[in-house]
């Protein structure tokens, strides 16, 4: 299990602004554990590979369904691993870190700079207050699986791609949390096919924002979101995907709810032979590269 939880900045920043705007703040378990004064803050509850951030502001922010508004975060996990004990962390928004940075300023800057992902490092002693030094804001998520992960070919689908099916490499033995969503990588040929599919004329019959709109910017795959502001459709950057060392793209990792397809595709096969050979070759090459890297590491001293 990774020490870092990944959140969407667009989900976290509104919670932070809510906490700052509220006249009073509730006592949370995270604050009690940290032994901190009551101030505008975010409370993080982590249970295994999943976590949730919430505002400590009063009145409490509830959704239209009557449940508390939270930002959900996730990390990879082993599917056969029992979750560790629940953890609670306190993230004050106005406390400066040793460099004078405040968490609220970092979050606002991340939005302005179009940094879509927030990584929170929870590898701390119990009761440690998390400030700006414990977070990273990045424009894409590169850390999708642990080093040395084995990858296997599979056909996957997601509601975000209108349930179309695509061959992919899937992290063997790992998923994104309790929902069991897969961690996937797509070769360049499949990525181009996916981009063409999501740009097809069928989009005219869908609502704005129902499906992402992918566009290449050089080698970077930009995942755009359509927003109807009343005066027309505006496009915002929802995520970025860069090719990894094998040239593969981790499209929608931890965001698109990828699932394995248990039935044949429209062609009547689970996966074209050419695609399977291409994926298996990449998986074997990656394992050999990792094995060679481990053999080249200098031995650690015993003393």
């Amino acid at each position: 299990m990774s020490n870092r939880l990944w959140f969407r900045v667009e989900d976290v920043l509104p919670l932070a602004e809510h906490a700052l705007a509220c006249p009073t703040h509730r006592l949370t378990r995270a604050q009690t554990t940290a032994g901190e004064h009551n101030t505008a803050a975010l409370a993080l509850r982590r249970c295994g590979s999943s976590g949730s951030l919430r505002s400590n502001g009063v009145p409490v922010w509830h959704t239209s369904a009557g449940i508390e508004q939270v930002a959900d975060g996730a990390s990879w996990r082993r599917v056969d691993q029992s979750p560790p004990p629940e953890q609670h962390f306190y993230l004050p928004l106005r406390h400066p870190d040793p460099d004078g940075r405040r968490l609220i300023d970092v979050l606002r800057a991340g939005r302005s700079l179009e940094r879509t992902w927030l990584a929170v490092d929870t590898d701390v002693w119990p009761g440690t207050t998390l400030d700006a030094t414990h977070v990273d804001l990045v424009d894409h998520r590169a850390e999708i699986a642990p080093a040395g992960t084995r990858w296997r070919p599979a056909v996957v689908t997601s509601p975000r791609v209108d349930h179309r099916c695509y061959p992919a490499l899937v992290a063997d033995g790992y998923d994104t949390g309790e929902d069991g969503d897969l961690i996937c990588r797509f070769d360049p040929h499949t990525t181009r096919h996916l981009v063409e599919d999501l740009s097809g004329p069928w989009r005219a019959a869908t609502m704005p924002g129902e499906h992402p709109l992918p566009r290449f910017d050089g080698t970077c795959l930009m995942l755009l979101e359509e927003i109807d502001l009343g005066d027309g459709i505006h496009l915002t950057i929802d995520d970025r995907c860069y090719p990894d060392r094998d040239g593969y793209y981790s499209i929608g990792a931890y965001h698109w709810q990828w699932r394995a397809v248990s039935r044949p595709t429209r062609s009547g096969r689970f996966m074209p032979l050419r695609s399977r050979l291409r994926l298996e070759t990449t998986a074997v090459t990656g394992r050999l590269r990792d094995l060679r890297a481990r053999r080249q590491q200098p031995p650690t001293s015993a003393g």
Side-chain angles (χ1 to χ4, degrees):
M1 186 180 66
S2 174
N3 294 323
R4 303 211 292 179
L5 286 174
W6 292 79
F7 297 85
R8 303 284 296 177
V9 173
E10 64 184 19
D11 298 332
V12 176
L13 184 56
L15 293 172
E17 299 290 5
H18 171 267
L20 290 171
C22 288
T24 57
H25 303 91
R26 55 182 165 160
L27 180 66
T28 64
R29 182 173 179 179
Q31 178 190 342
T32 303
T33 302
E36 289 283 353
H37 297 293
N38 197 6
T39 184
L42 298 175
L44 170 59
R45 171 185 174 271
R46 175 165 192 169
C47 185
S49 62
S50 302
S52 59
L53 281 168
R54 49 180 36 87
S55 163
N56 71 342
V58 178
V60 178
W61 183 1
H62 289 93
T63 68
S64 58
I67 60 177
E68 185 177 358
Q69 183 76 35
V70 301
D72 293 318
S75 175
W76 51 263
R77 69 160 189 176
R78 287 193 61 88
V79 296
D80 58 353
Q81 186 179 45
S82 300
E86 187 175 287
Q87 298 172 288
H88 295 265
F89 303 93
Y90 189 63
L91 291 80
L93 295 166
R94 294 194 184 100
H95 283 23
D97 68 4
D99 296 326
R101 301 183 308 160
R102 303 186 308 169
L103 181 57
I104 184 59
D105 296 330
V106 172
L107 291 173
R108 289 169 176 169
R111 177 185 57 184
S112 300
L113 297 172
E114 296 183 340
R115 304 294 174 89
T116 54
W117 286 99
L118 171 73
V120 182
D121 187 358
T122 61
D123 186 21
V124 296
W125 288 101
T128 301
T129 299
L130 302 185
D131 56 25
T133 62
H134 297 93
V135 304
D136 284 320
L137 284 163
V138 294
D139 68 347
H140 73 288
R141 176 167 182 168
E143 178 191 303
I144 65 167
T149 297
R150 285 178 172 261
W151 300 86
R152 57 179 175 82
V155 177
V156 299
T157 188
S158 168
R160 297 292 280 163
V161 295
D162 196 33
H163 300 286
R164 287 171 166 80
C165 302
Y166 299 97
L169 282 178
V170 174
D172 192 11
Y174 294 93
D175 60 25
T176 66
E178 295 180 358
D179 293 334
D181 297 330
L182 299 177
I183 305 171
C184 305
R185 299 163 58 210
F186 301 88
D187 64 52
H189 173 78
T190 301
T191 299
R192 290 191 296 270
H193 185 199
L194 187 150
V195 171
E196 293 172 358
D197 284 347
L198 289 182
S199 303
W202 61 273
R203 294 183 63 91
T206 64
M207 296 292 292
E210 188 175 351
H211 300 283
L213 183 63
R215 289 290 184 269
F216 275 106
D217 181 11
T219 60
C220 174
L221 180 60
M222 311 283 286
L223 302 178
L224 306 177
E225 197 79 13
E226 297 174 323
I227 300 178
D228 188 354
L229 298 180
D231 59 347
I233 305 300
H234 296 253
L235 296 176
T236 62
I237 298 176
D238 184 56
D239 204 356
R240 297 177 178 87
C241 295
Y242 294 88
D244 59 23
R245 63 190 306 176
D246 294 316
Y248 281 46
Y249 291 81
S250 53
I251 305 173
Y254 295 84
H255 193 36
W256 281 16
Q257 300 173 329
W258 290 108
R259 296 296 177 95
V261 176
S262 57
R263 64 186 187 281
T265 61
R266 295 172 184 174
S267 65
R269 295 178 295 176
F270 281 99
M271 184 184 299
L273 179 59
R274 180 178 299 179
S275 296
R276 177 171 291 277
L277 291 176
R278 182 168 59 242
L279 294 175
E280 289 182 344
T281 299
T282 302
V284 171
T285 301
R287 287 199 293 270
L288 292 175
R289 183 174 58 233
D290 292 339
L291 179 60
R292 184 168 57 250
R294 286 196 297 268
R295 287 177 174 176
Q296 292 175 350
Q297 291 178 349
T300 57
S301 60

